[in-house]
Amino acid sequence: MKQCLVVDDSSVIRKVARRILEDMNFEITEAEDGQQALDACRSTMPDAILLDWNMPVMDGLEFLTSLRAEDGGESPVVVFCTTENDVAHIARAIRAGANEYIMKPFDREIVEAKFQEVGLI
Amino acid sequence: MTPGEFEFLKTFLKTRSGLVLSSDKQYLVESRLLPIARSSKLETLSAVIQTLQRGSNRTLETDVIEAMTTNESFFFRDKTPFDHFKETMLPALKEARASRRQLKIWCAAASTGQEPYSLGICLKEEASKLPGWRTRILGTDLSLEVLEKAKAGLYSQFEVQRGLPIQMLLKYFDQKGDMWQITAEMRSMIEWKKLNLLESFTHLGEFDIVFCRNVLIYFDQTTKSEILGRLAKTLPDDGFLVLGAAETVVGLTDAFKPVPGKRGLFQKKQAVQAGTGSAAGPRLAVGGGVGFRR
Protein backbone atom coordinates (compact mmCIF):
# COMPACT_ATOMS: atom_id res chain seq x y z
CA MET A 1 0.00 0.00 0.00
CA LYS A 2 1.35 3.43 -0.95
CA GLN A 3 1.77 6.04 1.75
CA CYS A 4 0.51 9.59 1.44
CA LEU A 5 1.31 12.37 3.87
CA VAL A 6 -1.47 14.97 4.06
CA VAL A 7 -0.15 18.36 5.18
CA ASP A 8 -2.74 21.03 6.00
CA ASP A 9 -3.44 23.18 9.05
CA SER A 10 -7.19 22.67 8.60
CA SER A 11 -8.45 19.48 10.22
CA VAL A 12 -11.49 19.58 7.94
CA ILE A 13 -9.35 19.55 4.79
CA ARG A 14 -7.19 16.76 6.24
CA LYS A 15 -10.30 14.72 6.92
CA VAL A 16 -11.76 15.25 3.44
CA ALA A 17 -8.44 14.46 1.77
CA ARG A 18 -7.96 11.38 3.96
CA ARG A 19 -11.36 10.03 2.95
CA ILE A 20 -10.68 10.52 -0.77
CA LEU A 21 -7.15 9.11 -0.63
CA GLU A 22 -8.08 6.11 1.52
CA ASP A 23 -10.67 5.20 -1.12
CA MET A 24 -7.80 5.34 -3.61
CA ASN A 25 -5.95 2.79 -1.46
CA PHE A 26 -3.43 5.07 0.18
CA GLU A 27 -2.26 4.74 3.74
CA ILE A 28 -2.53 8.20 5.30
CA THR A 29 -0.39 10.09 7.76
CA GLU A 30 -1.15 13.68 8.69
CA ALA A 31 0.83 16.80 9.55
CA GLU A 32 -0.46 20.24 10.57
CA ASP A 33 2.43 22.33 9.27
CA GLY A 34 5.64 22.15 7.27
CA GLN A 35 7.84 21.43 10.28
CA GLN A 36 5.69 18.47 11.37
CA ALA A 37 5.73 17.24 7.80
CA LEU A 38 9.51 17.47 7.61
CA ASP A 39 9.83 15.51 10.88
CA ALA A 40 7.45 12.87 9.51
CA CYS A 41 9.50 12.58 6.30
CA ARG A 42 12.74 12.22 8.27
CA SER A 43 11.28 9.24 10.09
CA THR A 44 9.55 7.66 7.04
CA MET A 45 9.70 9.02 3.50
CA PRO A 46 6.14 8.73 2.03
CA ASP A 47 5.36 7.93 -1.62
CA ALA A 48 3.18 11.00 -2.00
CA ILE A 49 2.59 14.31 -0.23
CA LEU A 50 -0.55 16.43 -0.53
CA LEU A 51 0.67 19.85 0.51
CA ASP A 52 -1.07 23.05 1.58
CA TRP A 53 0.77 26.36 1.08
CA ASN A 54 -0.26 28.72 3.88
CA MET A 55 0.39 27.16 7.28
CA PRO A 56 1.82 28.40 10.60
CA VAL A 57 5.38 27.53 11.74
CA MET A 58 6.61 26.47 8.29
CA ASP A 59 4.69 27.00 5.05
CA GLY A 60 4.35 24.54 2.18
CA LEU A 61 6.93 26.11 -0.10
CA GLU A 62 9.57 26.26 2.61
CA PHE A 63 8.84 22.64 3.49
CA LEU A 64 9.15 21.57 -0.15
CA THR A 65 12.48 23.36 -0.57
CA SER A 66 13.83 21.72 2.62
CA LEU A 67 12.45 18.31 1.62
CA ARG A 68 14.09 18.34 -1.79
CA ALA A 69 17.44 19.12 -0.10
CA GLU A 70 17.09 16.13 2.27
CA ASP A 71 18.64 12.72 1.71
CA GLY A 72 16.00 10.77 -0.28
CA GLY A 73 13.84 13.90 -0.34
CA GLU A 74 13.63 13.89 -4.12
CA SER A 75 11.60 10.66 -4.16
CA PRO A 76 8.13 11.63 -2.84
CA VAL A 77 5.67 12.89 -5.43
CA VAL A 78 4.50 16.27 -4.16
CA VAL A 79 1.07 17.62 -5.10
CA PHE A 80 0.35 21.13 -3.87
CA CYS A 81 -3.23 21.70 -2.75
CA THR A 82 -3.88 25.36 -2.01
CA THR A 83 -6.13 28.38 -2.45
CA GLU A 84 -3.16 30.18 -4.07
CA ASN A 85 -4.35 29.92 -7.65
CA ASP A 86 -2.36 32.45 -9.64
CA VAL A 87 0.27 31.76 -12.27
CA ALA A 88 3.10 33.22 -10.16
CA HIS A 89 2.43 30.89 -7.22
CA ILE A 90 2.03 27.83 -9.45
CA ALA A 91 5.28 28.61 -11.28
CA ARG A 92 7.14 29.06 -7.98
CA ALA A 93 5.86 25.72 -6.69
CA ILE A 94 6.92 23.91 -9.86
CA ARG A 95 10.38 25.50 -9.73
CA ALA A 96 10.72 24.39 -6.10
CA GLY A 97 10.07 20.80 -7.17
CA ALA A 98 6.31 20.25 -6.97
CA ASN A 99 5.07 17.55 -9.34
CA GLU A 100 1.45 18.66 -9.59
CA TYR A 101 -0.79 21.43 -8.33
CA ILE A 102 -4.39 21.41 -7.15
CA MET A 103 -6.24 24.70 -6.78
CA LYS A 104 -8.81 24.67 -3.96
CA PRO A 105 -11.68 24.03 -3.84
CA PHE A 106 -11.08 20.48 -5.00
CA ASP A 107 -13.18 17.34 -5.28
CA ARG A 108 -12.60 13.61 -5.60
CA GLU A 109 -12.36 13.76 -9.38
CA ILE A 110 -9.64 16.39 -9.33
CA VAL A 111 -7.55 14.50 -6.78
CA GLU A 112 -7.91 11.32 -8.81
CA ALA A 113 -7.05 13.10 -12.06
CA LYS A 114 -3.96 14.74 -10.60
CA PHE A 115 -2.69 11.60 -8.86
CA GLN A 116 -3.18 9.73 -12.13
CA GLU A 117 -1.29 12.46 -13.95
CA VAL A 118 1.82 11.90 -11.83
CA GLY A 119 1.57 8.11 -12.00
CA LEU A 120 0.55 7.49 -8.39
CA ILE A 121 -2.53 5.50 -9.40
CA MET B 1 -44.58 14.79 -17.11
CA THR B 2 -47.10 12.25 -18.38
CA PRO B 3 -46.07 9.04 -20.23
CA GLY B 4 -47.58 10.59 -23.36
CA GLU B 5 -45.41 13.68 -23.02
CA PHE B 6 -42.33 11.55 -22.49
CA GLU B 7 -43.16 9.59 -25.65
CA PHE B 8 -43.54 12.82 -27.59
CA LEU B 9 -40.16 14.02 -26.34
CA LYS B 10 -38.58 10.70 -27.32
CA THR B 11 -39.88 10.97 -30.89
CA PHE B 12 -39.02 14.66 -31.11
CA LEU B 13 -35.39 14.06 -30.06
CA LYS B 14 -35.04 11.01 -32.29
CA THR B 15 -36.20 12.79 -35.45
CA ARG B 16 -34.45 16.06 -34.76
CA SER B 17 -31.11 14.93 -33.37
CA GLY B 18 -31.00 11.13 -33.60
CA LEU B 19 -30.80 10.91 -29.83
CA VAL B 20 -32.33 7.72 -28.49
CA LEU B 21 -33.94 8.41 -25.13
CA SER B 22 -34.56 5.23 -23.17
CA SER B 23 -37.42 5.07 -20.67
CA ASP B 24 -35.06 5.09 -17.67
CA LYS B 25 -33.83 8.59 -18.57
CA GLN B 26 -36.67 10.50 -16.91
CA TYR B 27 -34.25 11.93 -14.32
CA LEU B 28 -31.97 13.15 -17.10
CA VAL B 29 -34.86 14.89 -18.82
CA GLU B 30 -35.84 16.61 -15.58
CA SER B 31 -32.34 17.76 -14.66
CA ARG B 32 -31.64 19.07 -18.16
CA LEU B 33 -35.00 20.60 -19.04
CA LEU B 34 -36.14 22.15 -15.77
CA PRO B 35 -33.63 25.02 -16.14
CA ILE B 36 -35.10 25.66 -19.62
CA ALA B 37 -38.64 25.57 -18.23
CA ARG B 38 -37.64 28.24 -15.72
CA SER B 39 -35.64 30.47 -18.05
CA SER B 40 -38.36 30.38 -20.70
CA LYS B 41 -41.00 31.26 -18.08
CA LEU B 42 -42.97 28.10 -18.89
CA GLU B 43 -42.37 26.85 -15.33
CA THR B 44 -43.22 23.15 -15.80
CA LEU B 45 -41.90 20.36 -18.03
CA SER B 46 -45.42 19.70 -19.24
CA ALA B 47 -45.68 23.28 -20.43
CA VAL B 48 -42.35 22.94 -22.26
CA ILE B 49 -43.50 19.79 -24.03
CA GLN B 50 -46.89 21.24 -24.92
CA THR B 51 -45.12 24.20 -26.49
CA LEU B 52 -42.90 21.81 -28.46
CA GLN B 53 -46.03 19.97 -29.61
CA ARG B 54 -47.50 23.19 -31.00
CA GLY B 55 -44.30 23.55 -33.05
CA SER B 56 -44.35 27.32 -32.88
CA ASN B 57 -41.23 28.06 -30.84
CA ARG B 58 -37.97 27.41 -32.74
CA THR B 59 -35.77 28.80 -29.98
CA LEU B 60 -37.26 26.46 -27.42
CA GLU B 61 -36.82 23.49 -29.80
CA THR B 62 -33.14 24.29 -30.25
CA ASP B 63 -32.63 24.82 -26.52
CA VAL B 64 -34.22 21.45 -25.70
CA ILE B 65 -32.15 19.56 -28.31
CA GLU B 66 -28.95 21.22 -27.15
CA ALA B 67 -29.65 20.60 -23.46
CA MET B 68 -30.38 16.93 -24.06
CA THR B 69 -27.39 16.23 -26.33
CA THR B 70 -24.63 18.16 -24.57
CA ASN B 71 -22.06 16.01 -22.85
CA GLU B 72 -19.58 16.60 -20.15
CA SER B 73 -16.08 16.79 -21.48
CA PHE B 74 -12.61 17.24 -20.11
CA PHE B 75 -9.08 17.73 -21.35
CA PHE B 76 -7.23 14.59 -22.49
CA ARG B 77 -10.34 12.55 -21.66
CA ASP B 78 -9.46 8.83 -21.27
CA LYS B 79 -5.79 9.62 -22.08
CA THR B 80 -5.32 6.53 -24.32
CA PRO B 81 -6.62 8.14 -27.55
CA PHE B 82 -4.06 10.90 -27.14
CA ASP B 83 -1.28 8.35 -26.64
CA HIS B 84 -2.49 6.64 -29.83
CA PHE B 85 -2.44 10.04 -31.52
CA LYS B 86 1.19 10.74 -30.59
CA GLU B 87 2.56 7.21 -30.78
CA THR B 88 0.62 5.60 -33.63
CA MET B 89 -1.29 8.05 -35.81
CA LEU B 90 1.25 10.89 -36.05
CA PRO B 91 4.28 8.65 -36.84
CA ALA B 92 2.31 6.73 -39.49
CA LEU B 93 0.90 9.84 -41.14
CA LYS B 94 4.22 11.67 -40.88
CA GLU B 95 5.64 9.12 -43.28
CA ALA B 96 2.54 8.67 -45.42
CA ARG B 97 2.04 12.44 -45.88
CA ALA B 98 5.74 13.33 -46.07
CA SER B 99 5.42 14.97 -49.47
CA ARG B 100 2.26 16.91 -48.72
CA ARG B 101 3.17 17.85 -45.14
CA GLN B 102 -0.46 18.39 -44.29
CA LEU B 103 -2.74 16.91 -41.70
CA LYS B 104 -6.47 17.37 -41.38
CA ILE B 105 -8.17 16.32 -38.18
CA TRP B 106 -11.88 16.39 -37.46
CA CYS B 107 -13.43 16.26 -34.00
CA ALA B 108 -16.98 15.28 -34.87
CA ALA B 109 -18.40 15.79 -31.38
CA ALA B 110 -16.27 18.68 -30.20
CA SER B 111 -18.62 19.72 -27.40
CA THR B 112 -17.07 22.52 -25.33
CA GLY B 113 -13.72 22.21 -27.09
CA GLN B 114 -11.57 20.18 -24.72
CA GLU B 115 -10.86 17.44 -27.25
CA PRO B 116 -9.78 19.66 -30.17
CA TYR B 117 -7.67 21.78 -27.82
CA SER B 118 -6.07 18.66 -26.31
CA LEU B 119 -5.13 17.58 -29.84
CA GLY B 120 -3.83 21.09 -30.54
CA ILE B 121 -1.64 20.85 -27.43
CA CYS B 122 -0.35 17.44 -28.59
CA LEU B 123 0.52 18.91 -31.99
CA LYS B 124 2.33 21.84 -30.35
CA GLU B 125 4.28 19.46 -28.13
CA GLU B 126 5.21 17.35 -31.17
CA ALA B 127 5.88 20.36 -33.40
CA SER B 128 9.64 19.74 -33.60
CA LYS B 129 8.92 16.38 -35.26
CA LEU B 130 6.70 18.02 -37.87
CA PRO B 131 8.73 20.96 -39.19
CA GLY B 132 6.99 22.96 -41.88
CA TRP B 133 3.76 20.95 -41.60
CA ARG B 134 0.36 22.51 -41.93
CA THR B 135 -2.13 21.07 -39.49
CA ARG B 136 -5.80 21.86 -39.41
CA ILE B 137 -8.25 20.85 -36.73
CA LEU B 138 -11.98 21.17 -37.32
CA GLY B 139 -14.35 20.94 -34.36
CA THR B 140 -18.02 20.40 -35.04
CA ASP B 141 -21.00 20.00 -32.76
CA LEU B 142 -24.75 19.97 -32.97
CA SER B 143 -25.06 22.73 -30.41
CA LEU B 144 -24.28 26.37 -31.19
CA GLU B 145 -24.16 27.19 -27.51
CA VAL B 146 -21.36 24.73 -26.74
CA LEU B 147 -19.50 25.79 -29.89
CA GLU B 148 -19.54 29.39 -28.65
CA LYS B 149 -17.97 28.19 -25.41
CA ALA B 150 -15.45 26.11 -27.34
CA LYS B 151 -14.49 29.07 -29.52
CA ALA B 152 -14.00 31.32 -26.48
CA GLY B 153 -11.74 28.69 -24.92
CA LEU B 154 -12.61 29.94 -21.45
CA TYR B 155 -12.74 27.31 -18.71
CA SER B 156 -13.44 27.23 -14.99
CA GLN B 157 -10.86 26.22 -12.41
CA PHE B 158 -12.66 22.89 -12.09
CA GLU B 159 -12.57 22.25 -15.82
CA VAL B 160 -8.85 22.91 -16.21
CA GLN B 161 -8.00 20.58 -13.35
CA ARG B 162 -9.54 17.46 -14.86
CA GLY B 163 -7.00 15.79 -17.11
CA LEU B 164 -4.82 18.78 -17.85
CA PRO B 165 -1.30 18.56 -16.37
CA ILE B 166 -0.33 21.71 -14.47
CA GLN B 167 2.64 22.34 -16.79
CA MET B 168 0.24 22.42 -19.75
CA LEU B 169 -2.00 24.87 -17.90
CA LEU B 170 0.94 27.23 -17.38
CA LYS B 171 2.15 26.82 -20.94
CA TYR B 172 -1.08 27.09 -22.91
CA PHE B 173 -3.52 29.11 -20.80
CA ASP B 174 -3.87 32.68 -19.58
CA GLN B 175 -5.56 33.42 -16.29
CA LYS B 176 -8.66 35.58 -16.70
CA GLY B 177 -10.05 36.38 -13.25
CA ASP B 178 -11.53 33.15 -11.93
CA MET B 179 -11.28 31.53 -15.35
CA TRP B 180 -8.52 30.20 -17.58
CA GLN B 181 -8.43 30.93 -21.29
CA ILE B 182 -6.50 28.88 -23.80
CA THR B 183 -4.01 31.13 -25.62
CA ALA B 184 -4.96 33.02 -28.77
CA GLU B 185 -2.36 31.00 -30.69
CA MET B 186 -4.05 27.74 -29.68
CA ARG B 187 -7.49 29.13 -30.47
CA SER B 188 -6.30 30.06 -33.94
CA MET B 189 -5.40 26.41 -34.62
CA ILE B 190 -9.02 25.28 -34.53
CA GLU B 191 -11.92 25.98 -36.85
CA TRP B 192 -15.47 25.52 -35.55
CA LYS B 193 -18.65 24.59 -37.41
CA LYS B 194 -22.16 23.62 -36.42
CA LEU B 195 -22.99 20.18 -37.73
CA ASN B 196 -25.61 17.53 -37.13
CA LEU B 197 -24.13 14.09 -37.81
CA LEU B 198 -27.52 12.97 -39.14
CA GLU B 199 -27.08 15.37 -42.04
CA SER B 200 -24.60 15.15 -44.90
CA PHE B 201 -21.02 16.12 -44.16
CA THR B 202 -19.49 15.56 -47.58
CA HIS B 203 -18.93 19.34 -47.88
CA LEU B 204 -16.29 19.10 -45.14
CA GLY B 205 -13.97 17.23 -47.48
CA GLU B 206 -11.46 14.53 -46.59
CA PHE B 207 -9.64 14.08 -43.29
CA ASP B 208 -6.64 12.08 -42.10
CA ILE B 209 -8.03 11.51 -38.62
CA VAL B 210 -11.58 11.62 -37.30
CA PHE B 211 -12.33 11.67 -33.58
CA CYS B 212 -15.94 10.66 -33.00
CA ARG B 213 -15.99 9.68 -29.38
CA ASN B 214 -18.96 8.98 -27.13
CA VAL B 215 -21.57 10.28 -29.53
CA LEU B 216 -22.63 7.18 -31.48
CA ILE B 217 -23.83 5.67 -28.18
CA TYR B 218 -26.82 8.00 -28.37
CA PHE B 219 -28.00 6.62 -31.72
CA ASP B 220 -29.80 3.40 -32.58
CA GLN B 221 -28.03 0.61 -34.52
CA THR B 222 -29.25 1.66 -37.98
CA THR B 223 -28.20 5.27 -37.47
CA LYS B 224 -24.82 4.20 -36.06
CA SER B 225 -24.15 2.03 -39.13
CA GLU B 226 -25.24 4.79 -41.45
CA ILE B 227 -23.00 7.41 -39.80
CA LEU B 228 -20.00 5.03 -39.72
CA GLY B 229 -20.52 4.37 -43.43
CA ARG B 230 -20.45 8.07 -44.21
CA LEU B 231 -17.44 8.64 -41.91
CA ALA B 232 -15.57 6.01 -43.93
CA LYS B 233 -16.06 8.15 -47.03
CA THR B 234 -14.31 11.11 -45.38
CA LEU B 235 -11.17 9.07 -44.68
CA PRO B 236 -8.51 7.73 -47.06
CA ASP B 237 -7.54 4.06 -46.61
CA ASP B 238 -4.68 4.91 -44.27
CA GLY B 239 -6.70 7.41 -42.24
CA PHE B 240 -7.75 6.79 -38.65
CA LEU B 241 -11.07 6.77 -36.84
CA VAL B 242 -11.14 7.16 -33.07
CA LEU B 243 -14.19 6.03 -31.12
CA GLY B 244 -14.93 6.15 -27.39
CA ALA B 245 -13.45 3.56 -25.06
CA ALA B 246 -16.72 1.64 -24.81
CA GLU B 247 -17.62 1.89 -28.51
CA THR B 248 -17.04 -0.56 -31.33
CA VAL B 249 -17.75 -1.05 -35.03
CA VAL B 250 -18.42 -4.78 -34.64
CA GLY B 251 -21.80 -5.67 -36.11
CA LEU B 252 -22.29 -2.11 -37.37
CA THR B 253 -20.09 -1.73 -40.42
CA ASP B 254 -17.55 -3.51 -42.58
CA ALA B 255 -15.91 -0.23 -43.48
CA PHE B 256 -13.67 -0.13 -40.40
CA LYS B 257 -11.54 -2.64 -38.54
CA PRO B 258 -9.99 -2.25 -35.09
CA VAL B 259 -6.25 -1.54 -35.12
CA PRO B 260 -4.86 -4.50 -33.12
CA GLY B 261 -3.82 -3.64 -29.58
CA LYS B 262 -5.05 -0.04 -29.86
CA ARG B 263 -8.32 0.29 -28.04
CA GLY B 264 -10.74 2.72 -29.66
CA LEU B 265 -8.64 3.07 -32.82
CA PHE B 266 -9.95 1.97 -36.22
CA GLN B 267 -8.82 2.01 -39.83
CA LYS B 268 -10.51 1.20 -43.10
CA LYS B 269 -10.65 -2.52 -43.55
CA GLN B 270 -8.27 -2.49 -46.51
CA ALA B 271 -5.53 -0.56 -44.72
CA VAL B 272 -5.45 -2.86 -41.70
CA GLN B 273 -5.48 -5.98 -43.87
CA ALA B 274 -2.64 -4.58 -45.95
CA GLY B 275 -0.42 -4.82 -42.90
CA THR B 276 -1.84 -3.01 -39.85
CA GLY B 277 -1.32 0.42 -41.43
CA SER B 278 0.30 1.97 -38.42
CA ALA B 279 3.18 -0.49 -38.12
CA ALA B 280 3.87 -1.32 -41.76
CA GLY B 281 2.78 2.00 -43.21
CA PRO B 282 5.86 4.02 -42.34
CA ARG B 283 8.25 1.34 -43.61
CA LEU B 284 6.31 1.00 -46.83
CA ALA B 285 6.24 4.73 -47.30
CA VAL B 286 10.01 5.13 -46.85
CA GLY B 287 10.83 2.09 -48.99
CA GLY B 288 8.21 3.05 -51.51
CA GLY B 289 9.96 6.25 -52.40
CA VAL B 290 7.68 8.81 -50.83
CA GLY B 291 10.46 9.74 -48.42
CA PHE B 292 12.92 11.03 -51.02
CA ARG B 293 10.88 14.11 -51.69
CA ARG B 294 11.66 15.52 -48.25
Side-chain angles (χ1 to χ4, degrees):
Chain A
M1 201 182 236
K2 282 184 180 167
Q3 276 211 350
C4 182
L5 174 63
V6 176
V7 193
D8 202 303
D9 58 337
S10 153
S11 60
V12 176
I13 298 283
R14 291 202 305 274
K15 201 168 161 186
V16 171
R18 170 188 280 272
R19 200 171 299 157
I20 294 173
L21 290 164
E22 279 180 347
D23 287 347
M24 288 158 59
N25 262 326
F26 281 89
E27 192 183 316
I28 307 300
T29 44
E30 295 181 19
E32 291 175 29
D33 60 58
Q35 187 56 54
Q36 278 190 17
L38 203 55
D39 295 342
C41 289
R42 281 172 182 152
S43 106
T44 319
M45 211 47 101
D47 300 291
I49 301 172
L50 190 73
L51 181 63
D52 187 19
W53 193 304
N54 298 305
M55 292 176 289
V57 190
M58 184 192 284
D59 72 21
L61 192 72
E62 204 183 330
F63 159 77
L64 178 58
T65 311
S66 311
L67 172 77
R68 292 306 193 210
E70 293 273 318
D71 247 7
E74 68 290 334
S75 69
V77 174
V78 175
V79 179
F80 254 105
C81 183
T82 167
T83 49
E84 302 296 349
N85 65 357
D86 57 286
V87 170
H89 273 90
I90 300 172
R92 268 173 82 195
I94 302 293
R95 273 202 305 276
N99 301 84
E100 256 299 339
Y101 201 102
I102 293 171
M103 296 175 273
K104 286 176 182 167
F106 63 97
D107 60 9
R108 185 175 294 265
E109 271 188 48
I110 290 175
V111 176
E112 279 180 9
K114 291 293 184 178
F115 271 55
Q116 204 168 15
E117 202 53 60
V118 290
L120 281 165
I121 53 170
Chain B
M1 193 170 35
T2 67
E5 287 165 352
F6 189 78
E7 278 308 308
F8 171 81
L9 188 65
K10 256 176 85 169
T11 314
F12 171 78
L13 289 169
K14 175 73 178 49
T15 39
R16 293 291 296 273
S17 70
L19 180 83
V20 179
L21 194 65
S22 52
S23 312
D24 57 344
K25 292 285 163 55
Q26 193 117 2
Y27 75 95
L28 189 74
V29 172
E30 282 168 16
S31 67
R32 300 253 170 118
L33 298 190
L34 272 175
I36 292 179
R38 282 189 209 107
S39 64
S40 60
K41 303 263 188 299
L42 290 163
E43 303 309 333
T44 67
L45 283 187
S46 292
V48 170
I49 288 161
Q50 281 155 23
T51 312
L52 291 180
Q53 281 169 329
R54 282 197 297 275
S56 55
N57 191 333
R58 293 290 288 183
T59 317
L60 186 74
E61 289 169 16
T62 312
D63 287 350
V64 167
I65 293 168
E66 294 193 351
M68 289 308 301
T69 52
T70 298
N71 299 303
E72 199 192 30
S73 179
F74 30 94
F75 290 97
F76 295 99
R77 182 172 181 183
D78 298 337
K79 232 167 182 303
T80 320
F82 301 94
D83 294 338
H84 293 340
F85 181 63
K86 283 183 284 190
E87 292 157 16
T88 306
M89 295 181 249
L90 281 186
L93 292 170
K94 190 190 164 192
E95 296 297 338
R97 305 284 182 275
S99 55
R100 235 196 302 160
R101 294 193 182 201
Q102 248 189 56
L103 269 188
K104 278 174 76 184
I105 302 163
W106 175 24
C107 295
S111 188
T112 39
Q114 283 92 333
E115 184 183 81
Y117 287 133
S118 298
L119 290 170
I121 290 174
C122 287
L123 284 174
K124 272 276 159 205
E125 293 288 303
E126 303 286 312
S128 63
K129 295 178 193 162
L130 299 165
W133 281 61
R134 289 204 311 155
T135 50
R136 184 188 150 211
I137 301 174
L138 173 70
T140 65
D141 200 278
L142 173 70
S143 158
L144 269 183
E145 195 187 331
V146 302
L147 279 179
E148 281 307 314
K149 184 178 155 101
K151 203 184 282 183
L154 206 56
Y155 299 96
S156 74
Q157 192 170 290
F158 271 94
E159 288 171 308
V160 296
Q161 296 204 85
R162 300 218 207 120
L164 191 68
I166 196 71
Q167 303 273 14
M168 300 288 126
L169 181 71
L170 287 185
K171 208 164 160 185
Y172 296 109
F173 288 76
D174 299 316
Q175 197 164 20
K176 294 276 155 92
D178 291 343
M179 307 285 279
W180 294 81
Q181 185 171 38
I182 195 149
T183 59
E185 191 197 354
M186 295 304 298
R187 275 179 278 143
S188 72
M189 285 177 75
I190 327 262
E191 193 188 329
W192 309 97
K193 271 194 186 126
K194 179 173 155 64
L195 181 93
N196 187 339
L197 287 174
L198 292 184
E199 290 156 17
S200 166
F201 39 73
T202 47
H203 60 285
L204 299 179
E206 198 174 69
F207 295 90
D208 301 295
I209 298 171
V210 176
F211 274 70
C212 186
R213 298 196 297 153
N214 308 310
V215 60
L216 292 180
I217 41 173
Y218 294 105
F219 301 121
D220 61 25
Q221 300 296 98
T222 320
T223 313
K224 277 182 197 171
S225 300
E226 194 263 332
I227 293 175
L228 283 167
R230 286 189 292 125
L231 284 176
K233 292 188 186 134
T234 70
L235 283 163
D237 284 352
D238 60 356
F240 291 94
L241 171 71
V242 185
L243 296 180
E247 294 175 310
T248 180
V249 297
V250 175
L252 294 170
T253 179
D254 293 329
F256 291 103
K257 227 183 149 181
V259 176
K262 309 282 174 189
R263 191 167 52 102
L265 190 59
F266 301 84
Q267 277 194 300
K268 294 264 202 83
K269 204 174 176 180
Q270 306 89 303
V272 177
Q273 279 176 342
T276 68
S278 54
R283 280 196 293 276
L284 281 177
V286 171
V290 180
F292 76 92
R293 296 170 104 172
R294 274 177 297 170

